[in-house]
Amino acid sequence: MLLKETQTSICNKALALLGEEPIRGLDDDTSKAARVCKEFFTLSLRSVFEEGKWPFATLEQPAELLDLPEYSKEQKYIYSIPCNSALIVRVYTRDNRKNLNRNLDWDLRYIPELSTSAIICNKKTKIDEETENPIDQDEEVIIEYISETVCSGAYTAAFIRCLVAQLAADICMPITHDQQRWANIMQYAAVYALCGMHCFSISYCTVRR
């Protein structure tokens, strides 16, 4: 089920978990809660996208091979990370003739020549358990990833619950200055983080104050 939520409505759910009054909007400079929510919202959102394989945010695109000869000598392929990626799920080759997908061994590595991180794959990786044949480098390489730029109208109830819990944990101390309440909400957020990693949801529980 898809729910139409706004940043303000999500923030108000997080504030409700903390027993705080709702805000009119994130741009309300007269409200401390609004200022804190605005400061932490993007960080909380990114954190939740990184926690699990969310089907509504899972995208694929052909890998962009970067021309770095020094890595080619090491039998490596370097691919750029999709610009809107929060999490790389897998890198695989697609053989349209045989209708086969084969996962590649990959890693994220900082590339000094690019001053950023990139995806690095072995040129020859044994992925066929039966034949142990190396991958065919002429096959199309695909990156499956979690996009952090998905419209909020696509958020599922499970995702919203995780986001509300994470945001409540992030804004608790700046707003309430209550160490015990922060400890309780952190436990609550940890439960929903596990839900995100396994892509299932549980019902709301009451945060003890």
Side-chain angles (χ1 to χ4, degrees), residues 36-131:
V36 173
C37 286
K38 184 175 182 179
E39 180 178 354
F40 280 93
F41 188 88
T42 300
L43 175 63
S44 301
L45 181 64
R46 172 86 185 205
S47 296
V48 176
F49 272 124
E50 292 178 350
E51 285 170 0
K53 184 180 177 182
W54 303 101
F56 72 89
T58 302
L59 302 177
E60 292 184 348
Q61 73 176 47
E64 179 185 353
L65 181 64
L66 302 176
D67 185 15
L68 295 172
E70 57 272 32
Y71 289 91
S72 297
K73 295 177 183 178
E74 300 176 8
Q75 299 293 296
K76 305 288 186 183
Y77 277 147
I78 307 296
Y79 300 100
S80 62
I81 299 172
C83 60
N84 59 341
S85 170
L87 176 71
I88 303 298
V89 177
R90 65 170 177 152
V91 182
Y92 68 95
T93 60
R94 175 181 294 160
D95 187 337
N96 294 321
R97 296 167 301 174
K98 299 179 181 179
N99 195 28
L100 292 175
N101 294 336
R102 294 172 177 155
N103 290 333
L104 300 179
D105 288 337
W106 61 276
D107 195 8
L108 294 179
R109 181 183 299 181
Y110 180 78
I111 308 298
E113 294 85 349
L114 303 175
S115 298
T116 189
S117 296
I119 299 169
I120 184 167
C121 294
N122 292 330
K123 265 196 173 182
K124 293 183 178 180
T125 305
K126 293 183 178 181
I127 55 174
D128 190 323
E129 295 182 356
E130 295 182 359
T131 66

Side-chain angles (χ1 to χ4, degrees), residues 168-180:
D170 289 338
I171 66 176
C172 183
M173 283 300 291
I175 291 177
T176 70
H177 305 288
D178 187 327
Q179 188 74 31
Q180 185 58 52

